[in-house]
Amino acid sequence: MRVGVYIDGYNLYYGARGICGRSTPGWRWLDLRALSEALIRSRSRWADFTIENISYCTARISGASNPEGHREQDVYLRALVHAGSVTRISYGTYVSRVATAPLAIRGPNGKPVLVPPAWPIMVQDVSGGSVPDATFMASVAKREEKGSDVNVASHLLIDVLSGTVDAAVVISNDSDLAYPVEVVRGLVPVGLINPTKGVRAGRLAGTPNQGAGNHWWYRLEPADLYSNQLPSTVASRIIKPAPW
């Protein structure tokens, strides 16, 4: 069984950071091939599998706004290539814009809860009366990653429809991938790995026997990340960043 692995790098990085902790060392130098092989072996019922390709979809960090992040990411990307941990890297972009939205806090279930006016800060109308049902609006600078989900979907569909792979593993919890994943489940077995500590996106749900069948789901645990790391030095010259 030839397996293709399709990774949303943005989703994986921030998900893993949420699982292990932002400043915690030991998880970022991740060996994507070793991780994929370990999870397929332990979580699927796919016999005699080989990984045909690993598509890692991410975006370049700006060296102008974040030189240290740019340098560390560049080291990691080179390490992935030289270690044979990925087959191809596809790049999206970061887009900066000004966004306007209601002021909110994170609720118990992770969803936004609007912040109403309340003393000591209250909205008043022209006559001095309180307006408790008013909405605070905030204009903020927002930087978004664009393209990784599209690249994941494109590689996934092209490889399956062209017959390049017999099964697929998708590492993402992005609900925007719901439609291509649903299509692919009708053709080949699919393993869906949630790289975040949150619940699986509802639109990515399914049943093990739908379509081609033999599908499976899994949510990453800290041990999955810590136990599948690249060597500290790759190709004799690419060295893991000290904070990692």
Side-chain angles (χ1 to χ4, degrees):
M1 173 182 280
R2 301 165 301 165
V3 180
V5 180
Y6 308 89
I7 303 170
D8 182 338
Y10 183 87
N11 206 251
L12 173 59
Y13 173 79
Y14 284 100
R17 192 174 79 174
I19 293 171
C20 297
R22 180 169 187 167
S23 301
T24 306
W27 59 268
R28 282 183 283 180
W29 197 241
L30 187 60
D31 186 336
L32 301 177
R33 183 175 294 275
L35 174 69
S36 301
E37 289 178 344
L39 293 179
I40 296 169
R41 190 177 301 110
S42 64
R43 299 294 166 181
S44 80
R45 295 180 179 178
W46 300 348
D48 300 323
F49 74 89
T50 58
I51 293 183
E52 181 73 13
N53 58 60
I54 299 177
S55 301
Y56 182 62
C57 304
T58 187
R60 288 275 192 178
I61 296 173
S62 169
S65 60
N66 186 356
E68 181 179 3
H70 174 81
R71 181 186 64 79
E72 291 181 346
Q73 183 195 41
D74 184 68
V75 171
Y76 179 57
L77 294 174
R78 288 190 290 112
L80 289 177
V81 172
H82 284 277
S85 190
V86 296
T87 307
R88 54 195 175 196
I89 301 177
S90 295
Y91 294 102
T93 58
Y94 281 102
V95 177
S96 297
R97 63 185 182 89
V98 174
T100 302
L103 192 65
I105 60 173
R106 184 182 296 274
N109 59 359
K111 294 183 179 180
V113 176
L114 299 187
V115 176
W119 294 110
I121 299 177
M122 176 60 73
V123 176
Q124 293 185 329
D125 59 25
V126 293
S127 63
S130 297
V131 186
D133 58 348
T135 299
F136 292 119
M137 299 297 296
S139 180
V140 299
K142 191 171 184 180
R143 194 160 182 264
E144 296 179 319
E145 187 274 340
K146 297 287 188 181
S148 287
D149 54 351
V150 175
N151 289 335
V152 168
S154 298
H155 287 307
L156 172 64
L157 288 169
I158 290 170
D159 286 353
V160 170
L161 293 174
S162 66
T164 302
V165 299
D166 307 308
V169 171
V170 178
I171 303 180
S172 178
N173 196 39
D174 188 341
S175 60
D176 288 344
L177 293 172
Y179 181 70
V181 168
E182 180 182 0
V183 170
V184 169
R185 282 189 187 132
L187 302 171
V188 300
V190 176
L192 187 65
I193 297 171
N194 176 3
T196 78
K197 63 180 181 181
V199 298
R200 183 183 63 216
R203 293 179 59 200
L204 293 174
T207 60
N209 297 321
Q210 74 180 88
N214 207 6
H215 312 302
W216 53 277
W217 292 258
Y218 180 67
R219 184 171 66 179
L220 284 183
E221 298 290 341
D224 300 316
L225 301 164
Y226 290 123
S227 62
N228 290 288
Q229 297 287 298
L230 293 165
S232 296
T233 301
V234 175
S236 302
R237 63 184 185 279
I238 304 173
I239 301 173
K240 179 174 73 173
W244 289 31

